[in-house]
């Protein structure tokens, strides 16, 4: 498989680069690879739009003055921890 075909058919890497770009910087090569992939992949373009929107909403939630006092109750935390441990211990 040629290098261009590899770039255009690798959604897993594209989603990784989309996430990495939201957190920090990506290299020039990564930017080019992502741009080429997004040009040909409508699914990853949708994923990118959704990820950007979700990230914005989460940032707004945590930066909201109203929600600075909001905390998870202990029962919810315990239930969530139990569910995580159950998933991790599955065969």
């Amino acid at each position: 498989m040629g290098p261009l075909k590899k770039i255009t058919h690798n959604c897993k890497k594209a989603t990784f680069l989309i996430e990495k770009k939201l957190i920090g910087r990506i290299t020039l090569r990564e930017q080019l690879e992502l741009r080429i992939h997004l040009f040909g992949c409508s699914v990853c373009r949708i994923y990118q739009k959704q990820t950007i929107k979700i990230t914005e909403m989460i940032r707004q939630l945590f930066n909201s003055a109203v929600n600075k006092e909001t905390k998870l109750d202990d029962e919810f935390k315990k239930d969530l921890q139990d569910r995580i441990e159950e998933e991790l211990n599955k065969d």
Side-chain angles (χ1 to χ4, degrees):
M1 185 181 287
L4 186 57
K5 216 170 204 177
K6 203 182 267 188
I7 291 169
T8 58
H9 288 89
N10 195 344
C11 292
K12 187 174 183 178
K13 184 169 185 183
T15 56
F16 170 77
L17 292 176
I18 289 167
E19 297 289 338
K20 184 178 176 185
K21 186 176 177 183
L22 284 173
I23 294 170
R25 292 193 151 183
I26 59 176
T27 66
L28 186 57
R29 178 185 175 101
E30 290 171 331
Q31 288 177 19
L32 182 59
E33 289 177 358
L34 181 57
R35 208 176 265 187
I36 291 169
H37 182 84
L38 291 174
F39 181 74
C41 184
S42 62
V43 174
C44 286
R45 284 194 304 269
I46 292 169
Y47 176 82
Q48 183 179 38
K49 287 178 186 177
Q50 291 174 339
T51 302
I52 289 168
K53 188 63 176 170
I54 290 168
T55 302
E56 287 172 0
M57 291 170 71
I58 290 171
R59 285 183 180 149
Q60 287 174 358
L61 177 68
F62 282 105
N63 291 331
S64 170
V66 174
N67 291 315
K68 289 197 185 238
E69 300 292 322
T70 304
K71 295 181 181 178
L72 298 176
D73 82 2
D74 291 333
E75 174 104 14
F76 179 80
K77 288 180 197 177
K78 184 180 179 333
D79 181 51
L80 187 58
Q81 183 65 39
D82 291 343
R83 288 171 44 201
I84 291 169
E85 287 176 10
E86 183 179 310
E87 287 296 319
L88 289 174
N89 292 328
K90 279 187 176 178
D91 291 332

